[in-house]
Amino acid sequence: MPKELEKQYNPHGAEDRIYKMWNDGGYFTPSGKKGEPYTIVIPPPNVTGQLHMGHALDDTLQDILIRFKRMNGYDALWVPGTDHAGIATQIKVEENLRKEEQLTRYDLGREKFLERVWDWKNKYGDRIISQLKKLGCSCDWTRERFTMDEGCSEAVKEVFVNLYEKGLIYRGHRIANWCPNCKTALSDAEVDNPEQNGFYWHIKYFVKDSDEYVVVATTRPETLFGDTAVAVNPEDERYKHLVGKCVVVPFVNREIPIITDDYADMEKGTGCVKITPAHDPNDFLVGQRHDLEQINVMNDDATLNEIAGKFCGMDRYEARKQLVSELEEMGVLVKVEPTVHNVGECYRCGTTVEPLISDQWFVKMEPLAKPAIDVVRDGTIKFIPENQSKKYFNWMENIHDWCISRQLWWGHRIPAYYCDTCGKMVVSKTDVDVCPDCGAPMRQDEDVLDTWFSSALWPFSTLGWPNDTEDLKKYYPTSTLVTGYDIITFWVSRMIFSGLEHTGKAPFDTVLIHGLVRDELGRKMSKSLGNGVDPLEVIDKYGADALRFTLVTGNSPGNDMRYSDKKVEASRAFANKIWNAARFVLLNLDEDTKAEIPEKLELEDKWILSLYNEAVKGITENLDNFELGVASKKLYDFIWDYFCDWYIELVKPRLFEKGTDSNKRAQSVLAYVLSNTLKLLHPFMPFISEEIWQTLDLEKEPIIVAEWPKYCDCLNFEAEEKAMDKIIEAIRAIRNRRAEMNVPPSKKAKLIIVTNASDVYNASTSVFFEKLASASEVVFADGCDDDKSVSIGTDSAKFFIPMSDIVDTEKERARLTKEKETAEKEIERLEKKLGNPEFVAKAPEKVIAGEKEKLEKYTAQLKNIEEMIANL
RNA sequence: GGGAGCUUAGCUCAGCUGGGAGAGCAUCUGCCUUACAAGCAGGAGGUCAUAGGUUCGAUCCCUAUAGCUCCCACCA
């Protein structure tokens, strides 16, 4: 029994109700029995806070793919989960602690602090999950994971130990980026390098026991306490006589040698460079080559230490200021030169990082990078759009060893154990309490692993690895990874080499890359700008379907997009349009109407079925090729322009005439096209499509598991499609002409059709002109006797509307003449083109046929117009 | 310094591996036509950044230039 729908679609209530129905019905969990597997693992959102627009885009794309594949009979699995996000979360919790209780993590101690972080995780992790549900994500919640849950932790230990045993993880006393605020080492990838205004301070270093001096320049004068050499280029004639001598570092009065190293660039500055191995990555390498002492002058909070003498305890910037002024007083400050340089900043807290030497763990990258490059090179893994792979190659081919230890508390503790008695170190999956060598107690490494270390394992750790589980066997390798271009290096690259190294397989076959969602002005959405748009608020206001459709339409792979409410409004209007189309259909459907194609079809039925068929083909191909935006646009056009604006209008006369066979058949076609179109719509707008589907009540199963429509040659009605197009063209031309003359639609008038195309214009198609072109009646004739009539000429017919009261013959003549000229110009162009022997010889047949057809059309139209002018 | 992307209607953007460019919004005109005013019908609005090249034919391919955005590396 057809039910009635509200006049406007109201997503509230409906969305939660439908989501619950899907969830309770177990539709998100793959049956595991039939169908090829199709797997996506979600890029796990950080538990730091809440979903933003970027997540909404990312997850919408994934949900579209999952729903599409599910409807196509795949055993579709979408694994959800969240990321512990080491630094980010720890900072959040610490901030919170400071604000709420004026406590630091040290006040609480490691164990108590971690309890707080877990509380935070539980609270915000749940919030994120509920947000994903609001968006309509059809994740399999029975398989929800967390990067620090038991299974993922097991995987992390397994990987760490494996890599260590293979010699691919090592511990080194090396220079690394240090965040003095977070008090941890950072990988290169975790350091931003924005431009900043700064200075070069040129400082004199006197040669020992001499009046001679060299001038070195530095942007960080406070590091001079750690200088252990001055380097010049071996080719530099200016300083040859000084090599081997010593200069004296101001303040500390340390004597340091002048050495030669290629690192010193003769072109830069004075050609002399001070070497501070403990505070600069390049200097560190120079220091290694020359066996220089590494003098650390800083504490872990970037205050200077006792090496700095009276500057001890001062913050680096304060010390710098005072140092500079004292250097000036001493007369050794030669020059202060303003400059713009890139300064490393912690990507989480923005504090300027300090290169410091410490004990850190590293992954040896070179052997891992090679196979990872190969699988993308040979197409085992495909990036979409393809040019995004360049970013990947660029990074992989210039890879540095990966610093994986972090001096944080929140994260996977490094499974290394030390014996303070005999110095033994053990790396082990299981806890080691007692030294195997001397029996003394062992302590575990205090540090935790970089967050990305566990994220890198996500595609297989979530499926049960290192255990050989059923899930792993069935769903790994996964199929598609959907993510933004901003984390290709952070994450995608690391998943690829990890997958290859630990499972022997590439973790996915396709990487679908999208861009950023920016604000209306094209700025990155950020907390500091306060320009972020909360997806939940948008969903609340416009509905999840509208947001989803906005994000997918008009967005192409790899490109950024701007968010604006206007766009969502347009999507909501689309949802409402579908809603009302369905409402209309329901109002006109009999109880027993079935959504099937009747044997006998009218012209307009064949027309819409043919267009529907093409839509199925196009949309399916687009989705198969990850052209989601193009697919959604096609669907939009089909639904709005063809189904609503034309087909529904065309069948109204039949629908309003109850009790006839024609009426019944119109109902069937309407129901057929609508219900199948809803299926096409479902991946994009899951809620409204389900809501209408349930109301239509055609099948028992919900639309989420309905079968995706198939293209069929049997619905290919080329001739009828063309005939109907001619009628539509004629109706448009008539409306057009009436509008030009300001004739209101309510003013009906007789329409005389002069034509040979009786297959197109006949008694059964006349009704279209009456309904849609304001014809009071349609008369077929050989010509029009009334000289005061509006004339319209298409290629298939001449139309006359006698309207003596408003027709000005001369104006008609002018108008027709203009149309004639347009047609002539087109004909001239086409004749020229077709007259070009090279074009005819080289262009593909299809193109030539198309041009010929156009020529015929314009020729026929010209003939009609000319005859009408002659008859005026 | 190396690399990538972008430049199409007033605005935001599509354009499916070269055959006379589209949408939404905005704007203008006319409509409360019994699904929808979140709507209907119609109009106006583009040397597809610039200059060359390839081609029968270029918004699309190549080269150069300009402007914008981003990534990587790095300078004392």
Side-chain angles (χ1 to χ4, degrees):
Chain A
M1 165 91 188
K3 296 162 212 164
E4 230 181 286
L5 296 177
E6 295 293 318
K7 202 163 171 178
Q8 282 193 348
Y9 173 57
N10 175 14
H12 296 292
E15 293 186 350
D16 288 343
R17 186 183 76 243
I18 289 166
Y19 198 89
K20 188 169 185 307
M21 181 274 289
W22 288 331
N23 203 20
D24 293 352
Y27 295 105
F28 300 153
T29 302
S31 66
K33 286 189 184 119
K34 55 176 185 179
E36 265 181 70
Y38 177 84
T39 314
I40 295 180
V41 289
I42 200 169
N46 292 349
V47 289
T48 40
Q50 52 201 19
L51 247 45
H52 57 247
M53 270 303 166
H55 292 121
L57 168 63
D58 192 50
D59 296 320
T60 295
L61 297 177
Q62 291 170 70
D63 195 45
I64 289 169
L65 291 173
I66 280 286
R67 287 180 188 270
F68 171 62
K69 294 292 180 180
R70 187 185 291 124
M71 290 173 80
N72 272 281
Y74 284 83
D75 198 35
L77 170 63
W78 188 7
V79 182
T82 47
D83 194 299
H84 69 280
I87 300 186
T89 309
Q90 177 164 324
I91 289 176
K92 278 266 178 190
V93 176
E94 282 188 277
E95 273 173 8
N96 197 256
L97 203 58
R98 200 172 309 132
K99 216 171 70 193
E100 303 288 323
E101 303 170 55
Q102 290 80 47
L103 291 175
T104 69
R105 65 173 148 131
Y106 303 104
D107 294 332
L108 287 183
R110 188 165 190 150
E111 215 165 293
K112 278 264 172 343
F113 177 74
L114 286 179
E115 279 173 23
R116 298 297 186 97
V117 188
W118 276 105
D119 289 347
W120 175 283
K121 180 262 159 190
N122 290 332
K123 183 173 166 195
Y124 287 95
D126 287 353
R127 195 152 116 190
I128 284 162
I129 298 307
S130 77
Q131 285 173 308
L132 287 170
K133 291 178 178 173
K134 282 273 181 199
L135 192 63
C137 296
S138 58
C139 305
D140 181 0
W141 300 110
T142 65
R143 286 178 166 88
E144 186 191 333
R145 299 299 299 270
F146 177 57
T147 49
M148 268 172 65
D149 65 23
E150 209 177 308
C152 288
S153 300
E154 192 189 345
V156 163
K157 282 183 204 163
E158 179 81 19
V159 164
F160 190 96
V161 173
N162 283 351
L163 289 177
Y164 179 77
E165 283 170 359
K166 286 181 196 159
L168 292 173
I169 280 185
Y170 63 93
R171 189 159 190 252
H173 190 66
R174 303 229 324 218
I175 196 153
N177 306 296
W178 181 267
C179 175
N181 182 42
C182 304
K183 299 214 177 79
T184 178
L186 299 169
S187 70
D188 291 340
E190 287 167 321
V191 175
D192 294 329
N193 293 288
E195 281 194 342
Q196 275 186 14
N197 291 316
F199 297 94
Y200 283 133
W201 283 278
H202 297 255
I203 305 165
K204 281 184 198 171
Y205 282 24
F206 282 96
V207 178
K208 189 192 171 194
D209 301 328
S210 163
D211 291 338
E212 215 179 336
Y213 59 84
V214 295
V215 174
V216 296
T218 179
T219 54
R220 295 184 299 152
E222 68 277 11
T223 61
L224 68 76
F225 301 110
D227 289 355
T228 51
V230 167
V232 297
N233 192 281
E235 305 297 313
D236 201 331
E237 296 296 335
R238 291 172 293 179
Y239 303 108
K240 279 222 158 130
H241 66 291
L242 293 176
V243 173
K245 294 189 175 172
C246 285
V247 293
V248 180
V249 180
F251 290 106
V252 288
N253 295 320
R254 187 186 308 122
E255 292 174 15
I256 57 172
I258 297 178
I259 59 170
T260 59
D261 194 287
D262 287 333
Y263 168 65
D265 187 337
M266 290 194 283
E267 308 297 315
K268 276 182 190 163
T270 59
C272 297
V273 54
K274 72 188 197 70
I275 302 299
T276 323
H279 291 280
D280 182 280
N282 287 310
D283 294 5
F284 179 81
L285 296 173
V286 175
Q288 281 192 325
R289 286 198 284 274
H290 297 271
D291 202 22
L292 299 174
E293 195 186 346
Q294 298 163 348
I295 302 177
N296 182 11
V297 305
M298 257 181 228
N299 300 312
D300 65 2
D301 60 353
T303 57
L304 298 192
N305 64 17
E306 62 287 350
I307 300 282
K310 64 176 177 178
F311 297 95
C312 178
M314 285 173 85
D315 176 74
R316 54 186 162 168
Y317 298 118
E318 203 187 327
R320 178 184 296 175
K321 210 172 136 192
Q322 194 170 331
L323 180 67
V324 166
S325 83
E326 294 204 18
L327 286 168
E328 198 171 7
E329 278 172 34
M330 291 162 66
V332 296
L333 186 66
V334 182
K335 193 165 63 165
V336 182
E337 188 189 349
T339 182
V340 176
H341 58 161
N342 299 96
V343 176
E345 283 184 354
C346 172
Y347 85 131
R348 283 301 171 197
C349 73
T351 307
T352 301
V353 300
E354 204 61 51
L356 287 184
I357 291 181
S358 52
D359 286 317
Q360 303 292 348
W361 290 90
F362 296 87
V363 175
K364 199 172 170 184
M365 285 306 304
E366 211 198 317
L368 294 168
K370 263 198 164 60
I373 291 168
D374 291 344
V375 290
V376 178
R377 198 72 79 197
D378 69 20
T380 307
I381 295 178
K382 204 170 70 185
F383 278 73
I384 294 173
E386 210 213 318
N387 58 40
Q388 293 288 341
S389 59
K390 287 187 184 171
K391 190 172 287 180
Y392 174 81
F393 288 131
N394 184 35
W395 194 75
M396 276 294 195
E397 284 164 0
N398 299 291
I399 197 88
H400 299 300
D401 282 357
W402 176 17
C403 175
I404 50 169
S405 45
R406 297 288 180 277
Q407 289 65 50
L408 303 169
W409 288 351
W410 176 241
H412 296 279
R413 192 105 174 241
I414 291 175
Y417 303 83
Y418 308 96
C419 173
D420 292 327
T421 309
C422 72
K424 170 92 181 165
M425 182 183 80
V426 178
V427 169
S428 162
K429 280 182 261 187
T430 51
D431 290 354
V432 183
D433 300 327
V434 183
C435 178
D437 285 5
C438 72
M442 291 197 102
R443 62 177 173 83
Q444 186 172 3
D445 197 312
E446 292 291 315
D447 293 352
V448 299
L449 288 163
D450 180 7
T451 292
W452 300 101
F453 193 89
S454 54
S455 323
L457 320 179
W458 191 245
F460 43 96
S461 63
T462 51
L463 293 171
W465 191 91
N467 301 306
D468 193 19
T469 60
E470 288 304 310
D471 271 8
L472 193 69
K473 276 186 239 170
K474 177 140 181 119
Y475 299 109
Y476 188 84
T478 70
S479 310
T480 309
L481 182 88
V482 183
T483 194
Y485 60 66
D486 51 335
I487 55 171
I488 291 175
T489 50
F490 272 117
W491 192 43
V492 178
S493 57
R494 285 167 179 164
M495 281 191 287
I496 293 176
F497 70 67
S498 300
L500 290 169
E501 177 68 19
H502 306 298
T503 70
K505 290 174 191 164
F508 29 72
D509 55 57
T510 305
V511 183
L512 178 58
I513 300 289
H514 60 252
L516 268 35
V517 184
R518 297 174 174 278
D519 76 357
E520 220 158 337
L521 301 171
R523 300 172 304 182
K524 222 167 160 169
M525 288 188 182
S526 74
K527 281 252 167 59
S528 52
L529 276 173
N531 60 346
V533 179
D534 182 354
L536 277 198
E537 282 176 25
V538 177
I539 289 172
D540 200 42
K541 196 166 167 195
Y542 302 101
D545 288 331
L547 174 61
R548 291 168 61 111
F549 202 78
T550 302
L551 291 171
V552 71
T553 309
N555 185 12
S556 53
N559 290 322
D560 290 352
M561 68 177 304
R562 297 185 192 199
Y563 171 87
S564 84
D565 280 343
K566 287 266 180 230
K567 292 182 183 175
V568 193
E569 277 173 29
S571 299
R572 180 184 57 176
F574 178 50
N576 195 49
K577 187 75 185 173
I578 299 156
W579 182 257
N580 274 288
R583 181 166 173 256
F584 173 82
V585 172
L586 281 165
L587 286 172
N588 290 284
L589 237 47
D590 296 335
E591 279 174 49
D592 58 346
T593 300
K594 292 209 171 63
E596 56 190 25
I597 301 168
E599 258 173 55
K600 190 179 167 209
L601 291 166
E602 303 299 330
L603 184 64
E604 67 274 22
D605 299 335
K606 290 183 176 173
W607 176 80
I608 194 66
L609 286 167
S610 205
L611 290 175
Y612 155 79
N613 203 29
E614 283 167 29
V616 169
K617 189 176 179 208
I619 290 162
T620 307
E621 280 174 3
N622 288 141
L623 288 175
D624 279 334
N625 295 323
F626 301 97
E627 297 157 346
L628 311 196
V630 180
S632 71
K633 190 70 182 59
K634 241 171 229 176
L635 185 57
Y636 180 98
D637 289 343
F638 173 75
I639 291 177
W640 203 312
D641 295 348
Y642 296 133
F643 185 64
C644 293
D645 285 350
W646 284 103
Y647 184 68
I648 286 183
E649 296 304 325
L650 291 168
V651 288
K652 271 181 183 173
R654 287 162 66 194
L655 285 174
F656 294 160
E657 199 177 335
K658 287 278 172 193
T660 63
D661 175 57
S662 168
N663 172 284
K664 279 300 223 194
R665 288 185 284 113
Q667 286 188 36
S668 294
V669 177
L670 211 46
Y672 178 85
V673 176
L674 175 65
S675 59
N676 281 292
T677 303
L678 287 173
K679 293 182 197 165
L680 298 176
L681 182 68
H682 184 255
F684 303 96
M685 295 186 145
F687 292 112
I688 193 172
S689 53
E690 187 72 81
E691 179 76 344
I692 297 172
W693 177 263
Q694 304 269 334
T695 312
L696 281 173
D697 201 18
L698 296 162
E699 289 176 25
K700 283 184 210 94
E701 291 284 325
I703 200 168
I704 186 174
V705 288
E707 196 183 332
W708 186 257
K710 299 272 178 294
Y711 173 84
C712 177
D713 279 331
C714 60
L715 294 180
N716 199 2
F717 303 107
E718 213 176 318
E720 287 85 351
E721 201 184 314
K722 276 197 176 139
M724 197 67 227
D725 283 341
K726 284 193 191 303
I727 291 171
I728 287 171
E729 193 190 338
I731 291 171
R732 283 209 174 106
I734 293 166
R735 282 172 175 172
N736 196 325
R737 176 59 54 83
R738 288 175 60 106
E740 267 176 57
M741 297 176 68
N742 291 321
V743 185
S746 52
K747 187 178 165 104
K748 310 265 176 196
K750 187 163 88 173
L751 177 70
I752 297 163
I753 303 180
V754 181
T755 182
N756 292 323
S758 59
D759 54 329
V760 178
Y761 305 100
N762 52 47
S764 63
T765 59
S766 293
V767 65
F768 301 141
F769 291 91
E770 288 163 16
K771 282 281 170 191
L772 305 176
S774 300
S776 56
E777 59 172 322
V778 176
V779 176
F780 293 94
D782 293 331
C784 178
D785 303 332
D786 198 327
D787 56 353
K788 287 256 183 193
S789 67
V790 183
S791 348
I792 298 121
T794 70
D795 62 319
S796 53
K798 289 178 273 195
F799 302 87
F800 298 94
I801 309 172
M803 285 188 165
S804 50
D805 51 334
I806 56 165
V807 170
D808 177 329
T809 310
E810 281 319 303
K811 275 192 184 161
E812 270 309 289
R813 191 191 304 282
R815 220 175 341 230
L816 285 168
T817 306
K818 210 174 147 198
E819 279 179 18
K820 177 181 165 219
E821 280 163 10
T822 311
E824 280 171 344
K825 256 165 102 178
E826 282 301 312
I827 289 167
E828 195 189 324
R829 200 198 94 229
L830 290 162
E831 278 179 339
K832 199 173 148 198
K833 197 168 187 179
L834 287 162
N836 180 347
E838 295 215 73
F839 172 74
V840 180
K842 291 179 183 171
E845 266 177 60
K846 219 175 144 185
V847 175
I848 297 172
E851 297 296 304
K852 276 187 180 160
E853 199 177 323
K854 272 190 241 169
L855 179 60
E856 278 166 28
K857 199 180 143 161
Y858 281 113
T859 308
Q861 190 181 7
L862 180 66
K863 185 167 162 272
N864 280 337
I865 292 169
E866 280 173 339
E867 284 172 13
M868 288 192 290
I869 293 174
N871 284 336
L872 277 177

